[in-house]
Amino acid sequence: MAEYKLKVTTGDMKYAGTIDNVSVILFGAEGQSERVKLDNYGRDFTTGNTGTYTVKTTSTLGKLLLLKVEKDRFFIFPEDEWYCSKIEVTTPEREDIVFPCYRWISRGENVELRGGRGMKAFKEEHSLLIDHRNKELELRKNEYQWEVTDDRLPHSINFKDVSELPAEVRYSLSRSEEAQSTKRMIGLELTFKGLVGSSQKWKSFDDMKRIFWFKKTNLSEYVSEHWKEDDFFGFQFLNATNPNVISRCTKLPPNFPVTDEMVRPFLATGTTLKKEMEKGNIFICDQKIMDGIPARINDGNPLYVTAGLCLFYATPEGKLIPIAIQLHQQPSEQNPIFLPSDLESDWLLAKLFFKCSDAIEYQTVHHLMNTHFLAEVFAVATLRCFPTIHPLYKLLSPHFRYTLHINIVGRKTLLGPGGPLSKTSLGVEGLNELLGRFLSGMTYSSLCLPENIAARGLESIPNFYYRDDAMKLWNHINSFVRSVVEFYYTSDSIVCKDTELQEWINEIFTHGFLQNKQGGFPSRFNTVDEVVKFITMVVFRVSVQHAAVNGGQYDYNSWMPNGSLMLCKPPPSTKGQSSMQTILDALPNIGDTVNIVSTTWILSDNYTDVVPLGTYPEEHFQEPALKEMIQDFQAELSYLGEEITARNAQLEVPYPYLNPAVIENSVTI
């Protein structure tokens, strides 16, 4: 008689336990056990607890290969899903093997777990494991399928509703409850105040400050007080929600005829526009990607959007200020260049239209496309191409937690009828056109931060906290990824030999980047360095970059004059004809405003089950060397967090969004 000791751990999240019956079957190289029900005296499988059980066999099973878990109904009670964290087995030969699970298990599911170190396909030796590997991938490919909804956009997961998602990729019940609670609280307050659905226009800017009684942040209050100031306008293109569009200007575009006489009053004494460009102190933001996309009609009335250009000057005091704005691409008498010396309301109106277009591009391109949609592509390819025992599945899967769930929800609530993005000046059709334009011109280097910063000439501009923090995080992630990848891939030939890895990158190339060879995207890997760079980009994009574009949404975008997603009056075509009332009239009505502002609250809210960057509570890696690598990574992130906290304490406007303590491991909101 041989005895196998099992330690079965239930997750510690809300509702993780189950009253259902749980049974296991052990599979070894020399046989398998009978189906054994795990049952101790009293309650089994309670939240956060570990139960110990014994499985007896007539003889040893040899090298333990697989562990099958089955869950059956307890009496007549309805489905009671169980979150199994892991099962640790001590064999008769005193070998300890951990079988990671870390997923919800429903009745009738076929859950077979593998333990041990990460294994690539060509290293498999036992026929049972080869068969298990092939069946797992076949099941995954049948379950997670690509769907093409628009041939201009990255392909998406085939599920239409979160109820269709397998339990392993759905929100936890606690996360779902918290999100619904936030929505209810927002709805109750806005309904009580009579703001929901109101078609009335705002009577004053002060009225907008009273949308919410209790949802205030130091930064949202600061924005509402300083939104008119030029240096704060410039600051936001470096350190607010969209630090992705500004670049150094060494030569003015021919369609932006700014003269030295126009801007000399705003430059340092004794200098010229040409001299400042030569010094590298002039920057530009060009919205040409939006040119020609028509605005939508809203309740019978036209909305408006521009595709402008804005010139910035980095002052000797280290501030970045706008010095010229042109609201359309082609210069004409009806398309004047607005200057800080113009009538205050003219200049504010020009900044308002420019920030509106920036807000639309930011939400659509740099938030949805460059984090959410790409994260979904990476997640689906990982689920389809890597079995759970593959070392890169172990590395990557924590970075796709909840991503499929939130994207399905987002498509319905943000882009669906009445959603805040469907209500933008461009509408869904216009946004899809914008996304298609951007994807067709996307490059691999633009997704890799060091190359992105260098290409935009932003290596030395002062007070660029996004760049400072993000570059350090890129380097820490790159170092961690390199140590993990090189542990499993000791030569380039191993990279070429890993068919699952090659299939993974080809699926991403095909379904994410739509086979865009001109963009420099890889369709296969030939070297270890190529793998390291690409996985660094993936991890950075779904964690750091998402935090950068998402975390400050309420802080900066809840104050509608700072960058509305829709404008209701045409842009100015002459100077001297506006007033502050003109700006109020251009802004959305009360109902549309609170719809947008509510969304910024929900998207930047904090939830209790957050998993910060570098935190790997799920023990997928069993090798001591890998555990040490994770600890080193966490230590580096901790040091950086202390450094960022100390810096922010000295700033009037802090930049907290890339403190590792508040960066999530994955796109979850």
Side-chain angles (χ1 to χ4, degrees), residues 97-128:
I97 305 173
V98 179
F99 291 82
C101 184
Y102 301 107
R103 53 165 292 183
W104 294 93
I105 299 176
S106 304
R107 292 173 186 166
E109 280 194 88
N110 180 25
V111 180
E112 293 182 351
L113 307 178
R114 279 192 65 172
R117 60 175 287 151
M119 184 70 67
K120 297 179 284 293
F122 62 86
K123 288 282 190 179
E124 297 282 20
E125 296 178 348
H126 198 283
S127 60
L128 180 65

Side-chain angles (χ1 to χ4, degrees), residues 525-581:
F525 293 128
N526 297 303
T527 68
V528 174
D529 285 344
E530 290 173 356
V531 178
V532 170
K533 179 180 177 180
F534 194 86
I535 293 180
T536 298
M537 181 275 291
V538 169
V539 174
F540 178 88
R541 194 137 294 277
V542 303
S543 58
V544 178
Q545 189 61 24
H546 183 254
V549 299
N550 186 73
Q553 288 205 67
Y554 190 84
D555 288 340
Y556 286 97
N557 302 334
S558 62
W559 179 245
M560 205 51 45
N562 194 49
S564 172
L565 290 172
M566 59 188 296
L567 292 175
C568 306
K569 296 294 180 181
S573 57
T574 58
K575 295 186 180 184
Q577 303 298 312
S578 69
S579 66
M580 296 305 288
Q581 186 61 46

